[in-house]
Amino acid sequence: MRVLEISSFVAAPLGGLTLAQLGADVIRIDPVGGAADIGRWPLAPSGTSLYWTGLNKGKRSVTLDFRSAEGRQVVADLVAASGPDGGIVLTNAVGQDWLGYAQLARHRPDLIHLQIRGRHDGGAAVDYTVNAATGFPLITGPEGHAGPVNHVLPAWDVACGLYAAVGLLAAERHRRRTGEGRALALALEDVALAVAGHLGFLAEVQVTGADRPRIGNHLYGGFARDFATANGERVMLVALTGRHFSDLARVTGLAEIFAELERLLGADFSTEGDRYAYRELIASLLTPWFGQRTVADLAASFAGTSVLWARYRSFTDLATDPQLAANALMQEIDQPGVGCLLAPGSPIRQPGVGAVAPAPVLGGDTAEVLTGLLGMSREAVAALGDRGIAGESR
Amino acid sequence: MRVLEISSFVAAPLGGLTLAQLGADVIRIDPVGGAADIGRWPLAPSGTSLYWTGLNKGKRSVTLDFRSAEGRQVVADLVAASGPDGGIVLTNAVGQDWLGYAQLARHRPDLIHLQIRGRHDGGAAVDYTVNAATGFPLITGPEGHAGPVNHVLPAWDVACGLYAAVGLLAAERHRRRTGEGRALALALEDVALAVAGHLGFLAEVQVTGADRPRIGNHLYGGFARDFATANGERVMLVALTGRHFSDLARVTGLAEIFAELERLLGADFSTEGDRYAYRELIASLLTPWFGQRTVADLAASFAGTSVLWARYRSFTDLATDPQLAANALMQEIDQPGVGCLLAPGSPIRQPGVGAVAPAPVLGGDTAEVLTGLLGMSREAVAALGDRGIAGESR
C-alpha cells in the first residue's frame, strides 16, 4: 500500500505513521522548507523537532513548491503514478481545491482520498478547541477546582489519526473488491462527538438531564483513586470488579470493617454502584494503610492478587526505567538531527515486523521518489530543484 | 467482514464498534448474564448501561456458557463456520487458553486473532493504571497543583480500540493477499508508550534530560490558553501559527503594544518559541480584553479571521445545542432499555453509509446466529438454552 500524505501537526501524520509502521510506503509531501509543524516543540538541541521526527518515522519525504502550477502538477502525477496499491491520499489540507478529491480523481479514477478537517462543515478547529467544546475539561481535575482543566495529551488528534488509518484500510478493502475509489471526510470535532457518544457521555445527559460532577481522581461509577504512600509517592488504585475489591479488602485487612459497614449502611460493596456511592468512606479507610507503606511494600502486598495499581511516574522515571529498553516495542534508532534514542514501533505486535525506521530528513527522498515513481531523470529533478520547484535534501 | 468479539469494557468493544459502523458483521459473544461491563455506569433509569449500549451499537449479541466445554465448543464452531470473510477474533480475554490463537487456529488455519492485553508480558493493567505510569497526570492540571490529575476520557482505551481495528483490517488485507492468518497482540501499555513516543514526550526526556513542567491550560511550545469572558464563561484560545497570532493582535488592538514589547525584549512573537516564552506576558495583556467581552462579542470579533477559539461547554450544553442534532454524524435511535436518543455513527464519512443501528439486547441474536452460521435447528438452540449453555434473549 502506498500513501501520499500532505499533512501537518498530529492527526494526519499519525494516520500515515500508523500505516508506515505496518509496512506501507508512506510518502509525506511538504512545501519546500516544511509545513507549519516543522519546528513544533519539543526540540532537540540542534533545533530539530522531536515532534515532527516522532510522527514521521518510517516515511519518505518529498518537498515541492505548492504555490507553483508545476509543483502541484508533480503531486497530481505522483497520485496517478503511485501504482496499483497507490492512489491513496491522506491530507489535512482544507480549502485547497488542487488537493481535493475532485481534482485529484481526474488523474486517478479509483482514488482513495481522506481529508481530515476541523469541523465537518469545513470550519477550523484544533484539538484544544474541540476539547473545550466537548465537555471533558469541566469535569477533569481536582474536585474543588473552578474552571476548565485542559488535557496535555492531544487525545482527539490521536483518535482522529487512528480513525484515518482505519478509514484508508477500509476504503482500500472496498476498492480491492469493487474497483471503486472513495472520498472520505473525517472531522476532528466528529471524532470527539463520536467517542463521547460511544462512551455514554452524550447519552447520560440526554437520559438523566444532569451533568456528571467533577470528582477529581475518582473513577465514575466504581472505586478507583490515587493514594499517597509512605515515601511521598502516589499510586493509582483500581477496583473495577467485585473480585478486585474483595482482594483489596483482604490484603489491607479491612474485610471485616467493610463487612460491618455494609451491614450498618445497608450497602453492598460487591456492586460497583455502592463502591462508588461510598467512595469517600472507603478511601478514608484505605488512606492510612497506603500512607504507612512504601511502593515496594505495596508491590509485595499486591503480588499474586487481582488488585490493579500503578505508581505515578514522571516521563523521566518512565524513560529511565530499564523495563522500557527491555520492551521490544522500543528500539534504538539513529534519528538525523537528534542522534540515538529509543523510539516506539507499532503497538500492534505481529511476527516478522522489522526494525523501527527513523524519520526522513525533510525533502531527503525527493529525487528518489520522482525518479522512481515518475521515471524522471536525475537531471530533470535537479533542474526542478534549481528552479525551487522541488526541494533539496538538507 | 465478520468479527467474533469476546470482550468487555472499552478497548475491544470500541475496536468491534469501529468495524461494525463501517459495515462489518460484528458478533459480540458474552457469558450468559453478560461480562463484567454489562452494568457499567452511566446507567439509564431502567438500569441499562449507557456505556455498554454505546459501545456495542450495530453488533449482534450471542451469549454462551463459557465455563462449559459445550459452550466453548460453540465458540470454536462459530470461528470455523464464520465464512470466507470471517475467522476473525477480537478479544481482551487473557489467560484463557480455549480463546487463544493456538486453540482456535486448530479450527480455522487462516485465523486472524487479535488479543488486547494490559501489558505485553501478560500482566494486568487498565487505562487508569497505564495513565498513572506514563507521565501525563503529573503534568496535567493547574500550575500550582500538587499531585497527579487523572484524565476523565479513557484516552488509552480509545486509542487501543482504534489500533485494534487497524490491526484487524491490516491482517485481513494480508490474508486476502497470501491466504495466511495472523496472531496479533496489542497491549494497552504499549499503546500509551507508542503514542507518548510518537508525540515526542519520550524523546524529549531522553534528549534534554528534563521533565516538561506542569503549565496549566497553556499549550507547550506555543500560545494557547483559556480566558474568562464578561459573562462568566471561559473560552479556549489557540494561536498555533504566526498568522493566527497576527490576526489575534489585530483584532484585540494589541498589535502595536506587542510590536513595541518585541523590540524592548528582543523577542519575535511570530515564532512559536517566543510566543511560548512570553506566554504569561501575552496572556496578561489579553485578559482584560476577553474579560470585557461576552462570548457573542468574541464570535463577532473573530469572525472571518484565522483565530481559533471555542467556548468551554458542559456535556449538557453540548447535548442541547441544536447543532448537535443537525450534525449528520448523530442520528436518533431507539435503544432497547433506554429509549430514543441521539447517537453517533462513524466519524469516517463516506457515501452510502446507512442509519446508526442501536446496540442489541444481551443474547438477543443467539438463536439467529447459531441457526444462521452453524445450521442448527431452532429446537437444538432451544435445547441448549434450556440447559443454560446458550443464553436467552431478555
Side-chain angles (χ1 to χ4, degrees), chain B residues 44-69:
Chain B
S46 67
T48 298
S49 168
L50 299 171
Y51 170 103
W52 195 95
T53 49
L55 284 162
N56 294 298
K57 292 189 292 286
K59 301 179 189 176
R60 298 198 280 173
S61 173
V62 167
T63 49
L64 293 167
D65 178 7
F66 284 6
R67 288 161 308 183
S68 72

Side-chain angles (χ1 to χ4, degrees), chain A residues 85-285:
Chain A
D85 284 336
I88 303 175
V89 169
L90 167 60
T91 186
N92 62 327
V94 172
Q96 302 205 46
D97 284 346
W98 67 280
L99 274 177
Y101 173 79
Q103 282 292 322
L104 293 178
R106 290 169 48 212
H107 305 277
R108 177 92 195 203
D110 66 347
L111 177 68
I112 293 168
H113 184 281
L114 190 148
Q115 186 195 46
I116 294 178
R117 307 166 177 184
R119 302 164 60 118
H120 189 65
D121 63 10
V126 292
D127 180 280
Y128 310 95
T129 58
V130 163
N131 193 45
T134 311
F136 289 96
L138 294 181
I139 61 169
T140 301
E143 217 162 327
H145 183 70
V149 172
N150 288 355
H151 58 198
V152 171
L153 175 75
W156 307 121
D157 273 339
V158 170
C160 188
L162 296 172
Y163 269 119
V166 168
L168 292 179
L169 283 164
E172 200 267 350
R173 182 175 194 274
H174 178 74
R175 185 172 73 179
R176 259 183 297 122
R177 296 162 71 97
T178 65
E180 292 166 10
R182 255 178 184 170
L184 304 168
L186 177 62
L188 192 63
E189 183 186 54
D190 284 357
V191 166
L193 294 174
V195 170
H198 296 335
L199 294 173
F201 287 91
L202 297 182
E204 182 176 21
V205 289
Q206 290 181 73
V207 166
T208 69
D211 263 298
R212 192 182 293 193
R214 177 175 254 156
I215 52 171
N217 286 339
H218 283 288
L219 171 71
Y220 182 68
F223 186 77
R225 221 200 67 171
D226 60 315
F227 289 93
T229 68
N231 46 345
E233 302 203 83
R234 293 192 88 86
V235 295
M236 179 69 192
L237 173 81
V238 181
L240 274 183
T241 66
R243 181 170 161 235
H244 296 158
F245 191 76
S246 74
D247 277 6
L248 175 67
R250 184 173 46 75
V251 169
T252 56
L254 290 166
E256 212 173 312
I257 296 179
F258 285 148
E260 190 61 16
L261 282 171
E262 287 174 282
R263 195 184 64 77
L264 291 166
L265 298 164
D268 178 359
F269 296 164
S270 73
T271 68
E272 53 192 347
D274 277 2
R275 288 195 294 276
Y276 179 65
Y278 293 100
R279 64 190 181 276
E280 295 292 1
L281 176 69
I282 293 168
S284 70
L285 291 164

Side-chain angles (χ1 to χ4, degrees), chain B residues 156-386:
Chain B
W156 306 122
D157 273 339
V158 170
C160 188
L162 295 171
Y163 269 118
V166 168
L168 291 179
L169 283 164
E172 199 268 348
R173 182 174 194 275
H174 178 76
R175 184 172 74 178
R176 202 167 270 275
R177 296 162 71 96
T178 65
E180 292 167 10
R182 255 178 184 169
L184 305 167
L186 177 62
L188 192 63
E189 183 186 53
D190 284 357
V191 166
L193 294 174
V195 170
H198 296 335
L199 294 173
F201 287 91
L202 296 182
E204 183 176 20
V205 288
Q206 290 181 72
V207 166
T208 70
D211 263 299
R212 192 182 293 193
R214 178 175 253 157
I215 52 172
N217 286 340
H218 283 289
L219 170 70
Y220 182 68
F223 187 77
R225 220 201 67 172
D226 61 315
F227 290 93
T229 69
N231 45 347
E233 303 202 84
R234 291 193 88 84
V235 296
M236 180 68 193
L237 173 81
V238 181
L240 272 184
T241 66
R243 179 169 163 237
H244 297 159
F245 191 76
S246 73
D247 277 7
L248 175 67
R250 183 173 48 74
V251 169
T252 56
L254 289 167
E256 214 173 311
I257 295 179
F258 285 148
E260 190 62 15
L261 281 171
E262 287 175 282
R263 196 183 63 75
L264 292 166
L265 298 164
D268 178 0
F269 295 164
S270 73
T271 68
E272 53 193 347
D274 277 2
R275 288 197 294 275
Y276 179 65
Y278 292 100
R279 64 191 181 276
E280 295 293 0
L281 176 71
I282 294 168
S284 70
L285 290 163
L286 289 166
T287 296
W289 188 87
F290 279 93
Q292 289 154 12
R293 280 162 180 82
T294 64
V295 167
D297 295 337
L298 295 177
S301 296
F302 292 138
T305 75
S306 69
V307 175
L308 296 162
W309 70 288
R311 181 168 77 87
Y312 283 91
R313 299 194 295 187
S314 67
F315 285 103
T316 299
D317 292 341
L318 174 59
T320 55
D321 181 347
Q323 282 195 22
L324 188 75
N327 186 333
L329 173 77
M330 305 294 300
Q331 292 180 30
E332 186 155 297
I333 62 171
D334 186 1
Q335 176 61 54
V338 179
C340 285
L341 78 167
L342 278 177
S346 175
I348 304 164
R349 305 268 191 117
Q350 53 192 31
V353 168
V356 176
V361 170
L362 180 70
D365 305 298
T366 304
E368 181 192 303
V369 169
L370 269 49
T371 55
L373 286 188
L374 300 185
M376 288 175 72
S377 67
R378 297 240 154 222
E379 293 68 30
V381 175
L384 279 182
D386 289 343

